[in-house]
Amino acid sequence: MIRAMRTAASGMKAQQLNVDNIANNLANVNTTGFKKSRMEFEDLFYQATKPLAGVGQSGIVAPASVEIGYGTTPVSTQRMFTQGEMMSTGNATDVAIMGDGFFRVQKPDGSEAYSRDGSFKVSAEGRMVTNDGYPLVPDISLPDNTKEVLIAPDGQVSVRIPGDTIPQPVGQIELVRFMNAAGLSAEGQNLYVATGSSGEPMPGTPSSAGFGRLAQGHLEVSNVEIVEEMINLITAQRAYEINSKAIKASDEMMNQANDLAR
């Protein structure tokens, strides 16, 4: 009975983390470029109370053994990089990636981070930056007298200035891909950083082979589906509840066993 309690407790702990993950998905339903994640579990080790020992005394091979497991444990949060829907904003510096790829930005410490959030702003120095002020890599600066910003599907950034009829190119937006995007580490602020699991970033230009194209005046919304998450939440809640009942049942069985000695 003690083993049953510990096994059920591992299930309750696992489902608590599952609910925490679902809550984070739901909390970010309106976060630009957010990618939902899914908890993954695996069973723990087993105790063979009657191991397979080959042919028995009667000459018959046992078809199966008696193995009792010790519960479950979370092993990963699998991030799902499925495409989110496009939302039209009409803002010239809003850019969505339609397909594979991440924007490159530079953090204050000089390192690079990667994002699917294309809600860029223009800083006081004329640089295209994220909502937290991190500039794009490579850097794109707009002239002081910029009248209109044009971003092509291949990432070329051009501006119109008074007196010129032909747009003037000012920079190129680059994207990166990863062999295993699920291995990226989420840092908050809609940013990811490369890890040994993700592999090294592979840079390229939008619309080229393997990379998505850009859509100016649009943003990619979160890929969280509320109905799906609510179903997952109910399932996790029921699993948590049934594990708690297993603990109560084990406790009642222990009490009954203790009463036999009285």
Side-chain angles (χ1 to χ4, degrees):
M1 274 77 80
I2 295 296
R3 175 168 52 195
M5 287 185 173
R6 291 174 177 170
T7 300
S10 73
M12 292 179 69
K13 182 179 180 180
Q15 293 306 322
Q16 178 61 63
L17 291 176
N18 193 18
V19 170
D20 292 342
N21 183 69
I22 295 171
N24 183 62
N25 288 341
L26 290 172
N28 286 281
V29 69
N30 292 322
T31 301
T32 304
F34 179 80
K35 301 302 179 184
K36 64 184 178 181
S37 57
R38 180 188 67 220
M39 289 291 299
E40 296 184 340
F41 307 91
E42 67 180 15
D43 51 354
L44 294 175
F45 58 91
Y46 288 78
Q47 179 183 6
T49 58
K50 181 184 177 183
L52 289 173
V55 181
Q57 294 180 353
S58 61
I60 300 176
V61 178
S65 63
V66 178
E67 297 179 338
I68 306 299
Y70 277 79
T72 184
T73 184
V75 290
S76 68
T77 49
Q78 177 75 18
R79 195 166 296 277
M80 315 299 290
F81 283 97
T82 55
Q83 180 77 45
E85 294 184 4
M86 296 293 110
M87 177 180 66
S88 177
T89 65
N91 186 12
T93 55
D94 285 343
V95 187
I97 303 174
M98 300 178 65
D100 196 9
F102 295 84
F103 296 110
R104 301 168 62 190
V105 299
Q106 186 177 48
K107 299 171 66 177
D109 61 3
S111 62
E112 282 191 8
Y114 312 96
S115 177
R116 293 281 299 189
D117 182 2
S119 55
F120 299 117
K121 306 293 185 293
V122 179
S123 69
E125 296 80 19
R127 307 170 74 187
M128 289 187 64
V129 299
T130 67
N131 287 312
D132 295 292
Y134 301 160
L136 278 168
V137 177
D139 188 32
I140 297 177
S141 296
L142 308 180
D144 295 338
N145 56 347
T146 297
K147 183 179 179 181
E148 184 182 6
V149 179
L150 303 173
I151 303 176
D154 63 359
Q156 184 176 5
V157 181
S158 305
V159 297
R160 293 184 187 273
I161 58 178
D164 287 345
T165 57
I166 301 177
Q168 302 297 321
V170 294
Q172 171 73 44
I173 296 178
E174 293 185 358
L175 301 179
V176 297
R177 295 174 58 239
F178 293 90
M179 183 63 67
N180 176 30
L184 292 170
S185 175
E187 296 291 300
Q189 299 177 304
N190 289 352
L191 299 178
Y192 302 94
V193 295
T195 67
S197 299
S198 66
E200 293 298 320
M202 298 177 288
T205 56
S207 298
S208 61
F211 290 89
R213 62 187 180 90
L214 303 186
Q216 184 182 18
H218 292 75
L219 289 176
E220 181 187 11
V221 301
S222 168
N223 67 351
V224 174
E225 298 179 9
I226 296 179
V227 174
E228 178 184 349
E229 295 300 323
M230 291 302 297
I231 294 174
N232 293 338
L233 180 61
I234 294 172
T235 302
Q237 184 180 7
R238 293 294 180 265
Y240 186 92
E241 179 182 354
I242 201 66
N243 275 286
S244 68
K245 288 184 177 180
I247 292 178
K248 291 180 180 179
S250 298
D251 182 53
E252 292 175 359
M253 292 171 66
M254 289 179 63
N255 289 333
Q256 291 175 1
N258 290 334
D259 291 341
L260 293 176
R262 297 177 181 176

